[in-house]
């Protein structure tokens, strides 16, 4: 999926894209921004230690070009990534990812003030990490294609309680101006349905760095469905104001 640092490249109608069928998505590679974070970024974004994920079954949704699934499996986890991008041919996705990184770096360079330059010292540092994530993800997709499941949210093809933990980065709340409350609730419902113990969502701001009212709305929905909610500061801060995550824990 698109990431917040690509907002300038993502002026296409994302909500419409999400409603497309798998066959239609195959013909719309140009509408997908294929960029991801590294495993180390994920661990800081979601305030995780290796002991927290050891032996766990984990869903990364949407997974994009992130390297979390690859690295987590190497550590003995059963990690799966899900994304609409995976309907496309892996080699085409890789080439698209290379181009998207170029466009994303140009965009970030023009809006440096939207970011806090402690995670990365420069655009080149950021570029290196994005390429590192893409390379690791692409290699793993070739070797283990079964780990990368094409999905069209808000529907997921997994059974109830399939994963111990689900991680969802830069999707819910990020596009609060384009994905309405109903879509957020439907997607949250599916993420909770396939999660047995814990769901973590990062960040809690939209692309402008504002906390949308949807955060509280989703918290109330999840609590009514038997989940505890916690907002926690995390040791990762790149986009301004994006240094908190939302944790849902199953009380049942």
């Amino acid at each position: 999926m698109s990431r917040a640092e690509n907002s300038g490249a993502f002026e296409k109608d994302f909500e419409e894209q999400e409603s497309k069928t798998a066959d239609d998505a195959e013909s719309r590679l140009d509408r997908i921004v294929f960029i991801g974070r590294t495993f180390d970024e994920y661990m800081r974004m979601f305030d995780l230690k290796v002991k927290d994920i050891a032996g766990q079954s984990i869903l990364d949704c949407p997974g994009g070009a992130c390297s979390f699934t690859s690295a987590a499996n190497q550590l003995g986890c059963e990690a799966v990534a899900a994304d609409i991008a995976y309907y496309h041919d892996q080699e085409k996705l890789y080439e698209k990812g290379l181009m998207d990184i170029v466009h994303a770096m140009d965009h970030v360079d023009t809006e440096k003030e939207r970011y806090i330059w402690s995670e990365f010292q420069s655009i080149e540092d950021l570029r290196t990490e994005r390429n590192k994530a893409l390379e690791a993800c692409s290699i793993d997709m070739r070797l283990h294609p079964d780990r990368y499941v094409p999905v069209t949210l808000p529907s997921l093809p997994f059974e109830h309680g399939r994963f111990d933990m689900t991680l969802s980065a830069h999707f819910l709340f990020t596009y609060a101006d384009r994905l309405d409350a109903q879509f957020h609730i439907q997607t949250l419902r599916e993420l909770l349905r396939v999660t047995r113990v814990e769901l973590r969502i990062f960040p809690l701001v939209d692309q402008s760095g504002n906390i949308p009212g949807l955060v509280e709305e989703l918290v109330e929905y999840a609590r009514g469905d038997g989940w505890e909610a916690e907002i926690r500061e995390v040791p990762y801060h790149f986009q301004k104001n994006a240094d908190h995550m939302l944790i849902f824990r199953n009380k049942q």
Side-chain angles (χ1 to χ4, degrees):
M1 293 297 177
S2 170
R3 303 305 185 202
E5 63 208 40
N6 300 302
S7 59
F10 198 64
E11 292 304 317
K12 305 176 182 91
D13 188 350
F14 185 87
E15 186 172 7
E16 178 184 350
Q17 173 191 322
E18 280 294 326
S19 70
K20 299 299 180 182
T21 64
D23 289 340
D24 200 16
E26 183 62 37
S27 68
R28 294 176 178 269
L29 181 58
D30 63 316
R31 302 191 64 165
I32 290 174
V33 179
F34 194 60
I35 285 183
R37 266 67 174 179
T38 62
F39 174 81
D40 289 341
E41 286 181 271
Y42 256 51
M43 296 299 276
R44 298 196 304 278
M45 281 161 38
F46 291 108
D47 196 21
L48 291 168
K49 308 296 184 191
V50 171
K51 64 180 179 62
D52 297 324
I53 65 173
Q56 300 289 297
S57 59
I58 304 172
L59 173 64
D60 178 15
C61 180
C66 297
S67 63
F68 176 84
T69 294
S70 172
N73 276 285
Q74 292 175 34
L75 291 172
C77 302
E78 182 194 355
V80 173
D83 199 299
I84 195 172
Y86 305 150
Y87 285 116
H88 298 279
D89 174 76
Q90 187 277 325
E91 292 300 328
K92 292 181 180 178
L93 272 180
Y94 175 70
E95 294 299 324
K96 182 64 163 59
L98 291 174
M99 291 187 296
D100 288 342
I101 290 172
V102 172
H103 297 320
M105 296 307 100
D106 289 343
H107 172 70
V108 172
D109 197 31
T110 63
E111 298 196 21
K112 288 182 180 178
E113 71 282 356
R114 291 181 54 191
Y115 303 96
I116 296 174
W117 295 94
S118 55
E119 292 291 334
F120 310 99
Q121 300 305 307
S122 66
I123 296 292
E124 286 309 310
D125 284 347
L126 179 61
R127 188 194 312 275
T128 296
E129 289 300 293
R130 294 294 167 265
N131 278 308
K132 186 187 300 184
L134 176 63
E135 292 291 336
C137 176
S138 297
I139 290 171
D140 201 53
M141 288 179 72
R142 287 194 293 270
L143 296 175
H144 305 283
D146 55 306
R147 295 175 180 170
Y148 298 86
V149 181
V151 301
T152 305
L153 291 170
S155 297
L156 293 171
F158 308 112
E159 63 268 28
H160 183 85
R162 167 67 175 79
F163 301 98
D164 297 314
M165 177 183 294
T166 295
L167 306 177
S168 187
H170 295 97
F171 183 63
L172 293 179
F173 310 132
T174 298
Y175 302 108
D177 61 332
R178 306 172 199 186
L179 304 176
D180 62 17
Q182 181 180 12
F183 183 89
H184 274 72
I185 290 174
Q186 289 175 338
T187 299
L188 176 64
R189 183 172 59 206
E190 275 291 270
L191 293 174
L192 294 176
R193 181 185 66 79
V194 304
T195 304
R196 189 176 64 85
V197 180
E198 190 173 275
L199 164 65
R200 298 190 177 202
I201 299 172
F202 174 89
L204 306 187
V205 299
D206 59 23
Q207 295 189 46
S208 298
N210 300 314
I211 300 176
L214 286 168
V215 173
E216 186 58 35
E217 192 167 347
L218 264 62
V219 166
E220 290 304 312
Y221 173 84
R223 283 174 174 163
D225 200 35
W227 294 76
E228 294 178 337
E230 174 194 352
I231 292 178
R232 181 190 300 178
E233 186 175 359
V234 300
Y236 181 90
H237 198 182
F238 182 44
Q239 180 191 5
K240 285 187 176 180
N241 300 324
D243 59 346
H244 286 75
M245 70 169 167
L246 179 57
I247 305 175
F248 292 115
R249 295 187 185 89
N250 196 346
K251 295 192 298 183
Q252 300 176 0

